[in-house]
Amino acid sequence: MKILAIESSCDETAAAVVEDGKIILSSVISSQIEEHKLYGGVVPEIASRRHSENILGVVDEALKKADMELSDVDAVAVTYAPGLIGALLVGVSFAKGLSMSAEKPLIPVHHIAGHIAANYLAHEELKPPYLCLVASGGHSHIVEVLNYTEFKVIGRTRDDAAGECFDKVARILGFPYPGGIHVDNAAKLGNPDAYKLPRPSVNGSPYDFSFSGLKTAVINLVHNLEQKNLTFDKNDIAASFQKTIAEILVEKTLNAAKEKGYTNVAIAGGVSANSGVRTLLQSECTRNNITLFMPPLSLCGDNAAMIGCQAYYNFLSGIRADESLNAIATLSLENI
Ligand code: KG4
Ligand code: ZN
């Protein structure tokens, strides 16, 4: 089954053709990052406009690269939640038009379910149930993947998402948006033990995260050093921050896996590209006899191949949409 998938929930306009949830026949991503960089973050109105301008070309290219016409695909899939409402609406409206005109089934996909599904594209042997750490620009979850379309969120952030925290730390260190990759690169050159930073936890909710205190601690640290005219190496701050956030993410995920009895763990979302998180999670999983599944770096960030993969499993379990499909800005993974 060949699915044409569309993703437009944030600042990437993406389309892909995926066969049977496994084989990526094409994957095209048009990023708006260069433009949003000027403003230090995503400007929703600009994002919607650029999606509208780009979507036709991106979908055309995805079909061309797969050597297909619209009539050759078996279904059209689209990210309908969560995300920027105006951005999502562009993809949803376009997908509805394609599905109606070509008379193909329409499959709605939850963005976070898509991130998790990126793992199936890389690891054919991975099958639910397993535990997944989801860390992106908008979400930080510990998720029990009960089956391909049912999820139980057992941990969530009470304030900032992990990616948001990376981006804010990057900004105070003078790196451009989105800053996660720059913090990652700087951390490789710094001393991770140079600064001791707080590890906030949430009373009574052992798997929940709270990152705003860590973010504020880094901002205060930099301000203090600057006010005292002290010289400092921003690589050391990046390395200390990355070590701290990686330890928080990994410790809670491992605790959850051990307490819930999971021997398979996966990671998903933009922050799963982080070298510190990947290395620590791998060594802790190995030490605890847990098998770890990670998407390749090319599938960690937003893309439509992951949406096409999840759409296949949604289709198999009977999830369909019609012309009444709407975009939803906030939607729990448990209500897809
Ligand atoms: O999943 P994603 O592409 O978009 C959302 O669904 O939010 O995640 C984007 C986030 C951004 O905050 C970005 O800075 C972060 O992922 N990110 C990273 C790295 N690459 C991307 N954070 C840390 N280290 C990285 N290498
Ligand atoms: Zn995402």
Side-chain angles (χ1 to χ4, degrees):
M1 176 179 192
K2 298 186 181 83
I3 297 178
L4 169 65
I6 296 173
E7 153 67 41
S8 70
S9 65
C10 192
D11 56 354
E12 260 102 26
T13 320
V17 181
V18 180
E19 187 168 1
D20 296 337
K22 281 196 213 58
I23 306 157
I24 303 173
L25 299 177
S26 67
S27 178
V28 178
I29 304 173
S30 165
S31 174
Q32 309 172 0
I33 282 174
E34 284 309 312
E35 192 168 1
H36 294 294
K37 227 183 220 175
L38 302 172
Y39 307 94
V42 177
V43 182
E45 177 62 23
I46 294 179
S48 313
R49 283 166 189 259
R50 295 298 166 261
H51 284 309
S52 309
E53 289 161 10
N54 294 340
I55 195 157
L56 177 60
V58 167
V59 168
D60 258 352
E61 198 181 331
L63 285 171
K64 236 176 244 138
K65 283 194 167 156
D67 210 6
M68 290 168 75
E69 306 274 334
L70 180 58
S71 54
D72 300 326
V73 307
D74 300 299
V76 177
V78 66
T79 305
Y80 74 109
L84 300 172
I85 193 72
L88 285 166
L89 271 170
V90 175
V92 167
S93 310
F94 198 86
K96 283 201 280 191
L98 288 182
S99 124
M100 280 163 75
S101 60
E103 297 181 336
K104 307 285 178 185
L106 179 63
I107 311 170
V109 177
H110 189 287
H111 182 74
I112 300 300
H115 271 300
I116 295 171
N119 282 290
Y120 303 130
L121 289 167
H123 309 288
E124 218 175 302
E125 68 280 23
L126 175 63
K127 293 189 169 53
Y130 60 92
L131 191 77
C132 189
L133 167 66
V134 179
S136 70
H139 298 84
S140 301
H141 287 340
I142 296 178
V143 180
E144 288 186 75
V145 183
L146 305 174
N147 60 50
Y148 288 100
T149 54
E150 277 182 273
F151 308 87
K152 187 170 175 201
V153 180
I154 59 168
R156 51 183 61 73
T157 181
R158 295 298 183 96
D159 38 57
D160 296 354
E164 203 179 338
C165 196
F166 266 99
D167 293 339
K168 297 280 162 56
V169 165
R171 184 191 287 195
I172 192 82
L173 293 178
F175 296 122
Y177 175 86
I181 179 69
H182 301 286
V183 173
D184 196 347
N185 290 336
K188 288 177 186 148
L189 308 171
N191 171 11
D193 299 313
Y195 299 98
K196 197 163 168 42
L197 295 165
R199 288 172 166 65
S201 55
V202 181
N203 256 350
S205 303
Y207 309 136
D208 280 1
F209 301 103
S210 168
F211 293 120
S212 74
L214 172 60
K215 170 192 74 181
T216 309
V218 177
I219 293 172
N220 287 344
L221 171 66
V222 174
H223 283 159
N224 269 321
L225 290 165
E226 284 173 349
Q227 278 159 8
K228 290 178 184 155
N229 261 333
L230 295 170
T231 51
F232 63 92
D233 184 347
K234 59 184 181 181
N235 296 333
D236 288 346
I237 295 181
S240 303
F241 162 73
Q242 183 165 295
K243 179 188 171 189
T244 308
I245 197 164
E247 284 177 357
I248 297 168
L249 291 166
V250 171
E251 186 189 337
K252 286 185 191 289
T253 305
L254 264 287
N255 284 346
K258 285 188 274 184
E259 281 157 28
K260 303 272 178 192
Y262 286 100
T263 51
N264 282 344
V265 165
I267 184 169
V271 178
S272 63
N274 184 265
S275 63
V277 174
R278 290 174 85 95
T279 306
L280 185 63
L281 192 54
Q282 183 62 74
S283 64
E284 284 302 297
C285 283
T286 306
R287 206 165 63 80
N288 288 281
N289 287 323
I290 288 171
T291 309
L292 175 64
F293 298 89
M294 298 191 275
L297 295 187
S298 59
L299 293 173
C300 289
D302 289 347
N303 65 86
M306 67 187 195
I307 303 302
C309 175
Q310 180 61 30
Y312 175 70
Y313 294 105
N314 284 3
F315 185 84
L316 292 185
S317 64
I319 298 173
R320 308 271 193 289
D322 59 22
E323 66 280 1
S324 67
L325 180 68
N326 206 350
I328 307 173
T330 310
L331 181 71
S332 164
L333 193 51
E334 294 178 357
N335 299 329
I336 64 169

